[in-house]
Amino acid sequence: MGTACASSPVPPPTEVIVAALLDAVEAGYRHFDTAAVYRTEEEVGRAVAEAVEKGLVGSRDEFFITSKVWCADLHVDSVVPALTNTLRVSMKKSPLGFAKEDIVEFDMRGTWAAMEDCFRLGLCKSIGVSNYGPAKLHQLLQHATIPPAVNQVGLFPPCRHRYPCG
């Protein structure tokens, strides 16, 4: 279940989001998709903890939580700290948009190596990518020692992927 509130200038109150997530757990949802930029990591963490506390699930292990490293953190020295912040359920206030001059070259090899470090350190159960086209996946697999467990691709009316692309 997606938890993005980014399209809302003011996200709903924490209690509303947590209650909605608990309703989803009661309905059988176990996969929640979040990201620091969605501004819902804290709420997902609270809902998971409450679901366990209330006996809606047996343990945290019943959940599959997906989060993403924001593009500003796709640097070798930023990946582990970004994931550490996610695991602490701390929030970074950052706008969704960015200026053209803020875009820097993406070090796929170094960033993926840092993601592999997160896995080896036990900070996450699996690592993956988001919205990678066939060419970009092929490029990644040329140097990955741990292949991505998933390529999460968002598809909804305003977001259509046209392949082949990077």
Side-chain angles (χ1 to χ4, degrees):
M1 175 176 160
T3 64
C5 293
S7 62
S8 172
V10 177
T14 295
E15 310 79 53
V16 171
I17 297 171
V18 171
L21 293 169
L22 287 171
D23 287 345
V25 171
E26 288 179 341
Y29 284 86
R30 296 297 183 269
H31 178 197
F32 294 98
D33 174 55
T34 188
V37 73
Y38 294 176
R39 302 176 298 186
T40 57
E41 287 182 324
E42 181 177 351
E43 289 83 352
V44 169
R46 288 168 109 180
V48 166
E50 279 190 43
V52 172
E53 186 179 297
K54 291 180 176 183
L56 299 175
V57 295
S59 74
R60 161 61 179 89
D61 289 339
E62 293 185 35
F63 291 100
F64 185 82
I65 309 297
T66 304
S67 193
K68 286 158 283 307
V69 177
W70 182 233
C71 55
D73 291 320
L74 290 177
H75 304 283
V76 176
D77 60 347
S78 299
V79 173
V80 172
L83 179 56
T84 302
N85 281 336
T86 290
L87 293 173
R88 272 197 298 254
V89 210
S90 68
M91 299 296 290
K92 283 196 257 180
K93 300 292 184 199
S94 64
L96 246 182
F98 46 86
K100 188 173 183 177
E101 60 270 10
D102 291 335
I103 299 173
V104 296
E105 180 137 355
F106 170 49
D107 175 12
M108 181 188 292
R109 179 178 230 140
T111 300
W112 188 255
M115 296 289 287
E116 291 177 342
D117 288 344
C118 290
F119 179 79
R120 287 186 192 99
L121 290 168
L123 295 174
C124 55
K125 292 183 179 182
S126 59
I127 53 176
V129 295
S130 181
N131 299 309
Y132 269 38
K136 200 174 272 183
L137 275 174
H138 179 74
Q139 181 184 354
L140 174 67
L141 291 171
Q142 298 303 304
H143 57 79
T145 60
I146 301 171
V150 66
N151 179 17
Q152 180 184 353
V153 179
L155 294 174
F156 45 94
C159 178
R160 295 173 297 187
H161 300 278
R162 291 180 172 81
Y163 297 111
C165 69

